[in-house]
Amino acid sequence: MRTVNVSLDELFERRQYRLQQGEKERLLTAELAALTERHRRACPGYARILATFPPAAEVRGIADVPYLPVALFKTHHLASVPDEEIFKTMTSSGTTGQSVSRVVLDRATADLQARALAAIMTTLLGPRRLPMLIVEAKHVVGRGRQFSARVAAVLGMASFGRQHFYALDDDMNLDRRGLADFLGRFAGEPIFVFGSTFMVWQHLVQQLAPMEADLSDATLVHGGGWKALQAQAVDNATFKRTLLDLTGVTRVHNFYGMVEQVGSVFLEGPDGYLYPPNFADVVIRDPATWDEAPMGQAGVIEVVSALPRSYPGHALLTEDLGIVHGVGDPATGWGGRRLEVLGRVPKAELRGCGDVYAGQVTAS
Amino acid sequence: MTTVRRLLPEAADLGVADLLRDLATARVAPPFNAEAMDFCADFAQRLRREARGLPEAQALAFWMRGSGIRRLAADFAELGSDGCVLVPRGTALHIPPANVDTIFMYSWLLSTLAGNRNVVRISDRAGEQTTLIVDVLAELFRAGHHPGVRASTAVVQYGHDSRLTDLLSAACDLRIVWGGDATIAEIQRSPLPPHATELTFPDRFSFAAFDAAAYLALDDGRRDDLARRFFNDAYSFDQLGCSSPRLRGGEPAAAGAAGRDLFDRLAGVVRERDHEIATSTAIAKLAYTRRASIDWPVGRARSYGSRLTVLPLDRYADVRGEFCGGGVFFELRVDSLGDLASYVERRDQTLVQFGFPADELVSLVRELNGRGIDRIVPVGEALTFHRIWDGHDLLQAFTRRATIDLTEAHLT
């Protein structure tokens, strides 16, 4: 079986965020169209869907690639590899009672995901591994065949750092002494700080005293969603300003990604927009027609990725709303579509005579 | 002391025992007494004014107008005789669904007309229309014209609280529970007094059947009118009402052409009415229809934007169960209406039909012999309430029969 084709290699080898959008779309469209055919042959459920909802005969652009609603992975086992080739199963970190997504990875897809993350992170952090501060308790990062998205993110990112320091103790309190030791040891050196947006806010920002930690040489990468912080009226600007005032950190990069497309991480550029790497992109769809929305118009976010080989997740309609604000200039180091994520699609008030099913629009 | 929030007759937090004691002092009134009839008509009049632009509330107001009530009174009179007097049951406890704002009003008002005292439990998730209805009633009670109805009515609001349901259930003579199935199961854990009866309205499924030849015989104008009526059947309550059709059948002769024509026109009505579907519903529809294509023998879908999707079934499949609403139809061709019979289940409530002769419809019902389908209605009437609902004559269910045998004792 063919694993990686020419366009994918090129998307990896070219410097991230430096491709002209037109060239990127040509390479990506070819790769995505090939993936559609691959999954159609290998995944019977996917083939059934394409038979019922036939895609455009000619794939002229990314928006012509057939996409699946991400919730499908909560109810249906969609695999394009036989069971014995399943290397691990990723699950979303849904809260109790919610169904979780299950995405199966074979070795090739898992390798591509690792390679993808490396391409993104080395573009951001440089080729050398940096001392790494992880805003998480060590015991949370357990082991197992099934990984939650939060744990998977930490494990995935840990390989871009060295001398890892977990900033929280088992009770989720800040380990102040350990933190002071760590920062003292690497004073004046670039360090890498990683954690979920919520953990960084709740367990670092909320517990730090002003100037207790000097992070002016740090690069902070965080993600996982703003839902919990929206409730506290904390937006990205507030988040960054508070962190700057408290720690002096200037390089703060939010990321946007999901367990159904691990490795295809959108990274926040200096202008606050999220940028897809070379091998991924975004389409905003108008929920009234499901056609691609014009640039600048809010709609439902579809993410595409050239990575998923073992499951038909190369084009997924999320349950998030967003806007694409034009295309960045590759010459600045941040090329590609500029995505703003507006948050979850609000749940409709469902009516009817019965216990109406509302389970399909849930957090992942 | 267990307290409960009472919304009507006036808002108060009070002990359940006090609430029930107050209610017990109210008179159980004779069925179709003048005050109860006035009350319903006054309510309908005010609701019509207050609920502009809300079609379901308008339908309720229309149903409860003076002439409608007089016809109900006449129907009711026919149920009894000198030897058989219909008398109220006493206290009725109504547990309406959280998500349909008006349907419970029909049973509540019918119960009021029947003379019962009524306790209505409103969910803490109740929607806008419920709030509107409660406001209209509050205003009506404040005006003071219906002291008897006022004294015999209590509307309470609470979430999942089995203690409250226990206390209210123990004090009622009749309990009316609207589904879903899970809600009914939960409510039924609260015991009723030994003499009390219960009416339940669980989750249901509905069909629509069109005779293809009869459809194709219509001119353009009539086809458009039929599509508009079908729109009202299907798109009210976002297709989530228990009587909203989601499976339609048709006969094979030219059925393909008829089905395409009908749904093309329906799509036109959807556009014309500018029927909006919430984004979350549109996404749920995408997921539902893709799941359907994996799970059932669905042929090539016909999609009309995100507001209408037709999934043709190559053969019958049980597509009941969880549903997303918002304009998804399964389409199945059958040779005759009788072929539908083998697929019908207890859960099936309404058959919306067009073009079938009366004798075919009657023989379908006789063949089913109670296995399913409680009502057959013409296109456009799926959500029109009738005093006979889910197989129960509510006027009978809300009363009991006292019989008087007038024959003389045969003394020897």
PDB file of all heavy atoms in Angstrom, chain B residues 343-359:
ATOM      1  N   TYR B 343     -45.142  -3.068   8.483  1.00  0.00           N
ATOM      2  CA  TYR B 343     -44.064  -2.307   9.123  1.00  0.00           C
ATOM      3  C   TYR B 343     -44.532  -1.545  10.361  1.00  0.00           C
ATOM      4  O   TYR B 343     -43.717  -1.003  11.093  1.00  0.00           O
ATOM      5  CB  TYR B 343     -43.475  -1.297   8.138  1.00  0.00           C
ATOM      6  CG  TYR B 343     -43.049  -1.884   6.816  1.00  0.00           C
ATOM      7  CD1 TYR B 343     -43.383  -1.256   5.629  1.00  0.00           C
ATOM      8  CD2 TYR B 343     -42.312  -3.064   6.777  1.00  0.00           C
ATOM      9  CE1 TYR B 343     -42.987  -1.776   4.404  1.00  0.00           C
ATOM     10  CE2 TYR B 343     -41.917  -3.604   5.555  1.00  0.00           C
ATOM     11  CZ  TYR B 343     -42.258  -2.948   4.370  1.00  0.00           C
ATOM     12  OH  TYR B 343     -41.865  -3.475   3.178  1.00  0.00           O
ATOM     13  N   VAL B 344     -45.840  -1.463  10.546  1.00  0.00           N
ATOM     14  CA  VAL B 344     -46.355  -0.582  11.596  1.00  0.00           C
ATOM     15  C   VAL B 344     -46.121  -1.186  12.973  1.00  0.00           C
ATOM     16  O   VAL B 344     -46.265  -2.385  13.181  1.00  0.00           O
ATOM     17  CB  VAL B 344     -47.858  -0.302  11.366  1.00  0.00           C
ATOM     18  CG1 VAL B 344     -48.480   0.384  12.573  1.00  0.00           C
ATOM     19  CG2 VAL B 344     -48.028   0.560  10.116  1.00  0.00           C
ATOM     20  N   GLU B 345     -45.749  -0.318  13.905  1.00  0.00           N
ATOM     21  CA  GLU B 345     -45.494  -0.745  15.288  1.00  0.00           C
ATOM     22  C   GLU B 345     -46.344   0.063  16.250  1.00  0.00           C
ATOM     23  O   GLU B 345     -46.891   1.106  15.894  1.00  0.00           O
ATOM     24  CB  GLU B 345     -44.020  -0.499  15.643  1.00  0.00           C
ATOM     25  CG  GLU B 345     -43.055  -1.409  14.916  1.00  0.00           C
ATOM     26  CD  GLU B 345     -41.623  -1.168  15.372  1.00  0.00           C
ATOM     27  OE1 GLU B 345     -41.415  -0.369  16.307  1.00  0.00           O
ATOM     28  OE2 GLU B 345     -40.730  -1.795  14.776  1.00  0.00           O
ATOM     29  N   ARG B 346     -46.345  -0.405  17.489  1.00  0.00           N
ATOM     30  CA  ARG B 346     -47.100   0.245  18.556  1.00  0.00           C
ATOM     31  C   ARG B 346     -46.758   1.743  18.666  1.00  0.00           C
ATOM     32  O   ARG B 346     -47.589   2.579  18.978  1.00  0.00           O
ATOM     33  CB  ARG B 346     -46.784  -0.495  19.864  1.00  0.00           C
ATOM     34  CG  ARG B 346     -47.467  -0.094  21.138  1.00  0.00           C
ATOM     35  CD  ARG B 346     -48.956  -0.211  21.082  1.00  0.00           C
ATOM     36  NE  ARG B 346     -49.527   1.059  20.683  1.00  0.00           N
ATOM     37  CZ  ARG B 346     -50.765   1.273  20.308  1.00  0.00           C
ATOM     38  NH1 ARG B 346     -51.614   0.284  20.254  1.00  0.00           N
ATOM     39  NH2 ARG B 346     -51.177   2.462  19.967  1.00  0.00           N
ATOM     40  N   ARG B 347     -45.510   2.092  18.421  1.00  0.00           N
ATOM     41  CA  ARG B 347     -45.053   3.474  18.571  1.00  0.00           C
ATOM     42  C   ARG B 347     -45.613   4.409  17.505  1.00  0.00           C
ATOM     43  O   ARG B 347     -45.523   5.614  17.633  1.00  0.00           O
ATOM     44  CB  ARG B 347     -43.525   3.507  18.428  1.00  0.00           C
ATOM     45  CG  ARG B 347     -42.786   3.598  19.722  1.00  0.00           C
ATOM     46  CD  ARG B 347     -41.301   3.680  19.461  1.00  0.00           C
ATOM     47  NE  ARG B 347     -40.824   2.493  18.746  1.00  0.00           N
ATOM     48  CZ  ARG B 347     -39.556   2.348  18.353  1.00  0.00           C
ATOM     49  NH1 ARG B 347     -38.681   3.296  18.586  1.00  0.00           N
ATOM     50  NH2 ARG B 347     -39.175   1.255  17.726  1.00  0.00           N
ATOM     51  N   ASP B 348     -46.123   3.842  16.416  1.00  0.00           N
ATOM     52  CA  ASP B 348     -46.533   4.697  15.300  1.00  0.00           C
ATOM     53  C   ASP B 348     -47.861   5.370  15.601  1.00  0.00           C
ATOM     54  O   ASP B 348     -48.841   4.720  15.925  1.00  0.00           O
ATOM     55  CB  ASP B 348     -46.618   3.859  14.023  1.00  0.00           C
ATOM     56  CG  ASP B 348     -45.272   3.233  13.695  1.00  0.00           C
ATOM     57  OD1 ASP B 348     -44.242   3.822  14.104  1.00  0.00           O
ATOM     58  OD2 ASP B 348     -45.241   2.166  13.065  1.00  0.00           O
ATOM     59  N   GLN B 349     -47.862   6.688  15.501  1.00  0.00           N
ATOM     60  CA  GLN B 349     -49.028   7.441  15.930  1.00  0.00           C
ATOM     61  C   GLN B 349     -49.895   7.903  14.771  1.00  0.00           C
ATOM     62  O   GLN B 349     -51.061   7.571  14.685  1.00  0.00           O
ATOM     63  CB  GLN B 349     -48.569   8.665  16.729  1.00  0.00           C
ATOM     64  CG  GLN B 349     -49.707   9.511  17.237  1.00  0.00           C
ATOM     65  CD  GLN B 349     -49.259  10.935  17.502  1.00  0.00           C
ATOM     66  OE1 GLN B 349     -48.647  11.586  16.674  1.00  0.00           O
ATOM     67  NE2 GLN B 349     -49.556  11.411  18.700  1.00  0.00           N
ATOM     68  N   THR B 350     -49.307   8.732  13.883  1.00  0.00           N
ATOM     69  CA  THR B 350     -50.113   9.413  12.878  1.00  0.00           C
ATOM     70  C   THR B 350     -49.729   8.949  11.487  1.00  0.00           C
ATOM     71  O   THR B 350     -48.554   8.809  11.175  1.00  0.00           O
ATOM     72  CB  THR B 350     -49.892  10.936  12.982  1.00  0.00           C
ATOM     73  OG1 THR B 350     -50.281  11.371  14.291  1.00  0.00           O
ATOM     74  CG2 THR B 350     -50.725  11.683  11.946  1.00  0.00           C
ATOM     75  N   LEU B 351     -50.729   8.719  10.668  1.00  0.00           N
ATOM     76  CA  LEU B 351     -50.489   8.539   9.242  1.00  0.00           C
ATOM     77  C   LEU B 351     -51.105   9.750   8.549  1.00  0.00           C
ATOM     78  O   LEU B 351     -52.316   9.943   8.586  1.00  0.00           O
ATOM     79  CB  LEU B 351     -51.124   7.244   8.736  1.00  0.00           C
ATOM     80  CG  LEU B 351     -51.072   7.047   7.211  1.00  0.00           C
ATOM     81  CD1 LEU B 351     -49.636   6.915   6.721  1.00  0.00           C
ATOM     82  CD2 LEU B 351     -51.889   5.835   6.784  1.00  0.00           C
ATOM     83  N   VAL B 352     -50.235  10.579   7.997  1.00  0.00           N
ATOM     84  CA  VAL B 352     -50.693  11.693   7.177  1.00  0.00           C
ATOM     85  C   VAL B 352     -50.864  11.137   5.768  1.00  0.00           C
ATOM     86  O   VAL B 352     -49.967  10.459   5.268  1.00  0.00           O
ATOM     87  CB  VAL B 352     -49.641  12.818   7.169  1.00  0.00           C
ATOM     88  CG1 VAL B 352     -50.024  13.905   6.177  1.00  0.00           C
ATOM     89  CG2 VAL B 352     -49.457  13.399   8.561  1.00  0.00           C
ATOM     90  N   GLN B 353     -52.032  11.375   5.142  1.00  0.00           N
ATOM     91  CA  GLN B 353     -52.211  10.726   3.842  1.00  0.00           C
ATOM     92  C   GLN B 353     -52.744  11.701   2.806  1.00  0.00           C
ATOM     93  O   GLN B 353     -53.411  12.666   3.123  1.00  0.00           O
ATOM     94  CB  GLN B 353     -53.122   9.510   3.981  1.00  0.00           C
ATOM     95  CG  GLN B 353     -54.568   9.820   4.347  1.00  0.00           C
ATOM     96  CD  GLN B 353     -55.449  10.135   3.151  1.00  0.00           C
ATOM     97  OE1 GLN B 353     -55.151   9.757   2.019  1.00  0.00           O
ATOM     98  NE2 GLN B 353     -56.547  10.854   3.380  1.00  0.00           N
ATOM     99  N   PHE B 354     -52.436  11.378   1.566  1.00  0.00           N
ATOM    100  CA  PHE B 354     -53.054  12.107   0.468  1.00  0.00           C
ATOM    101  C   PHE B 354     -53.449  11.126  -0.632  1.00  0.00           C
ATOM    102  O   PHE B 354     -52.632  10.325  -1.087  1.00  0.00           O
ATOM    103  CB  PHE B 354     -52.117  13.156  -0.137  1.00  0.00           C
ATOM    104  CG  PHE B 354     -52.702  13.761  -1.383  1.00  0.00           C
ATOM    105  CD1 PHE B 354     -53.705  14.714  -1.280  1.00  0.00           C
ATOM    106  CD2 PHE B 354     -52.319  13.330  -2.642  1.00  0.00           C
ATOM    107  CE1 PHE B 354     -54.298  15.234  -2.412  1.00  0.00           C
ATOM    108  CE2 PHE B 354     -52.914  13.844  -3.780  1.00  0.00           C
ATOM    109  CZ  PHE B 354     -53.910  14.799  -3.668  1.00  0.00           C
ATOM    110  N   GLY B 355     -54.703  11.197  -1.018  1.00  0.00           N
ATOM    111  CA  GLY B 355     -55.133  10.536  -2.242  1.00  0.00           C
ATOM    112  C   GLY B 355     -55.654   9.118  -2.100  1.00  0.00           C
ATOM    113  O   GLY B 355     -55.930   8.464  -3.101  1.00  0.00           O
ATOM    114  N   PHE B 356     -55.774   8.622  -0.870  1.00  0.00           N
ATOM    115  CA  PHE B 356     -56.253   7.247  -0.718  1.00  0.00           C
ATOM    116  C   PHE B 356     -57.756   7.242  -0.425  1.00  0.00           C
ATOM    117  O   PHE B 356     -58.228   8.056   0.358  1.00  0.00           O
ATOM    118  CB  PHE B 356     -55.496   6.541   0.417  1.00  0.00           C
ATOM    119  CG  PHE B 356     -54.041   6.373   0.124  1.00  0.00           C
ATOM    120  CD1 PHE B 356     -53.116   7.294   0.601  1.00  0.00           C
ATOM    121  CD2 PHE B 356     -53.590   5.316  -0.663  1.00  0.00           C
ATOM    122  CE1 PHE B 356     -51.763   7.167   0.319  1.00  0.00           C
ATOM    123  CE2 PHE B 356     -52.236   5.178  -0.944  1.00  0.00           C
ATOM    124  CZ  PHE B 356     -51.326   6.105  -0.460  1.00  0.00           C
ATOM    125  N   PRO B 357     -58.478   6.297  -1.027  1.00  0.00           N
ATOM    126  CA  PRO B 357     -59.913   6.234  -0.772  1.00  0.00           C
ATOM    127  C   PRO B 357     -60.206   5.757   0.654  1.00  0.00           C
ATOM    128  O   PRO B 357     -59.403   5.036   1.264  1.00  0.00           O
ATOM    129  CB  PRO B 357     -60.424   5.219  -1.803  1.00  0.00           C
ATOM    130  CG  PRO B 357     -59.225   4.459  -2.254  1.00  0.00           C
ATOM    131  CD  PRO B 357     -58.034   5.321  -2.032  1.00  0.00           C
ATOM    132  N   ALA B 358     -61.354   6.177   1.160  1.00  0.00           N
ATOM    133  CA  ALA B 358     -61.731   5.901   2.548  1.00  0.00           C
ATOM    134  C   ALA B 358     -61.686   4.406   2.857  1.00  0.00           C
ATOM    135  O   ALA B 358     -61.202   4.008   3.925  1.00  0.00           O
ATOM    136  CB  ALA B 358     -63.122   6.465   2.822  1.00  0.00           C
ATOM    137  N   ASP B 359     -62.159   3.574   1.925  1.00  0.00           N
ATOM    138  CA  ASP B 359     -62.238   2.151   2.270  1.00  0.00           C
ATOM    139  C   ASP B 359     -60.845   1.542   2.465  1.00  0.00           C
ATOM    140  O   ASP B 359     -60.649   0.679   3.316  1.00  0.00           O
ATOM    141  CB  ASP B 359     -63.050   1.371   1.223  1.00  0.00           C
ATOM    142  CG  ASP B 359     -62.479   1.531  -0.186  1.00  0.00           C
ATOM    143  OD1 ASP B 359     -61.674   2.458  -0.394  1.00  0.00           O
ATOM    144  OD2 ASP B 359     -62.832   0.717  -1.070  1.00  0.00           O
TER     145      ASP B 359
END
